[in-house]
Amino acid sequence: MSGPPGLGRPVPPAGRAGAPTPYPGPPGEPVPPTGGPTTAAPLTHSEFYRTPRNRWWKGFLSILALGAAIMLFSIVLAFAATAIDVLLGSTTMEELGSGQITMTPVLLLATNLSLIASAAVAVLLHRYLHRQPVGTLHSVVGRFRWDWLGRASVVVVPLFVAYVAVVALVEAQRPVVLDATAWAFLAIVLLTTPLQAASEEYMFRGVIQRAAGSWVPGAVPSLVLGTLVSAVLFSLAHFATDVWLIAYYLVFGIAMSLLTQFTGGLEAASLVHAANNVLLFIVSASTGMMSEGFDRSAGAGGPVMLFPMLVVAAVAAVLIVLGRRRGLQHRAVPPATA
């Protein structure tokens, strides 16, 4: 007597060895629908917008929209902050008329909030223009990898503490002054600067790098073009006119693009950016040099900028090696909705 159909027959395997890793999605969320065109091969970070539904103009529109958002929020919030500073007496109309702009706690808060608001636009573009779940903005695996962030912090935090300690020793001739202004700066740095730093990564490496990378096929061409466009725009966004500072921002952007590409997500790059900004701003706030820290005019930099360039490049390289040794996934198949 024969049993039910299929009894005693081997169950077909769920997948083949070496098959593309599907987009897993955040834990607890439903798997995206599989109907319609899909990307058969796993893609790297820079390629992740190059899906069957992608069109060249989507990448162009994303870059244009983010540039407009940064300019709009920066101008609006800077005007509001300047008006508040005038009312508080932190600056005067005469100083503004002469073009003298002093960094104040209110202006720093406005700067950070403008970038955080711009990053919200990046999230909307990723979700609704490029039709990808928010999880794939964090990483190619579709979620924020807290375990990887923890391992990376063990490397990043001590290295940047040592780096900033050297900077503090160089500036030892400046006395530490913890007055009300300094405490206000420190509070704003600790509460909002980590978000500001991560916001820049989500805009420039999360969306812009992928937007430009979607214009060409292949992992290497997309990485080269995505890195070039995002690093140049990242440097321009800092409005530096000093050659050494321009070079520093370019090196920083390239290092973060490579780190994001070879780790498959923004966690490590956001951590490096946040550690760099927070620790350096703590030194600047404690020594009354916040305005000097934001001076990007010609002559503000110099050959000394080779040191931070080397630090950032070395930290990125160490994290890339660590990620490879941990077997960190840096390729995945984009969701079928994209």
Side-chain angles (χ1 to χ4, degrees), residues 90-111:
S90 301
T91 188
T92 64
M93 296 302 296
E94 289 75 16
E95 290 175 337
L96 295 175
S98 64
Q100 180 181 352
I101 299 178
T102 302
M103 178 56 64
T104 66
V106 176
L107 187 56
L108 176 63
L109 178 61
T111 301

Side-chain angles (χ1 to χ4, degrees), residues 241-246 292 295-306:
T241 55
D242 181 85
V243 174
W244 287 99
L245 289 175
I246 292 172
E292 290 84 348
D295 182 9
R296 293 156 187 163
S297 60
V304 69
M305 295 307 299
L306 290 172

